[in-house]
Amino acid sequence: MIKVVGDKAVSELEIERSSRDNELAFSWSSIPYSSSANDTILIVRNTSSTYKLYITDVHVNVGATASRMDIHLVTADYTSAGTAVTGVNLRSGSSTSASAEAYADETGNSKGAILGYVYCAADTHTHMDMRGLTLIEDDALGVDVIENSISEVSVTITGYYR
């Protein structure tokens, strides 16, 4: 969105406006751990019947072992299992919580459509711009490590509701 402030045009991302005006922007992060091959490092499912969840970014951090990551949709029903992850509201001081279910080291989902394959070198951080991805109620986004076990792997998914 572009708005005029004085004599200047200012560009603002939708996630910025959602955070400031509605307190509906969130980040979900897994705690670094040593994964096995084919682990779902982090999955976020939209549980809102009112809002769509617009994903903006996925960040992947890997330790000493390179591997491939699959970024995938999950549209089939599944029972979550793993370590619960609470969404952090990006509006400082907000008490609004995310209408989402998120799990690290998740084991209950069935991989759906692959949105991308990401090859991560050892000891790197990789960012994927996911703008354009919309999760409707009960759909999820997952990030799986595929080829190798990885020490100190973590994932952060960021998005907003509208």
Side-chain angles (χ1 to χ4, degrees), residues 36-109:
S36 300
N38 298 309
D39 273 1
T40 298
I41 306 302
L42 181 64
I43 194 164
V44 175
R45 176 170 33 194
N46 181 11
T47 59
S48 175
S49 60
T50 307
Y51 296 111
K52 294 176 182 171
L53 177 55
Y54 296 87
I55 302 298
T56 57
D57 302 276
V58 172
H59 295 268
V60 177
N61 297 292
V62 297
T65 308
S67 190
R68 186 184 96 208
M69 302 284 188
D70 287 357
I71 313 299
H72 61 94
L73 287 175
V74 179
T75 57
D77 288 338
Y78 68 97
T79 301
S80 295
T83 304
V85 174
T86 301
V88 174
N89 194 305
L90 297 181
R91 169 90 182 261
S92 177
S94 176
S95 61
T96 303
S97 58
S99 295
E101 186 178 85
Y103 283 86
D105 195 12
E106 206 283 327
T107 59
N109 78 87

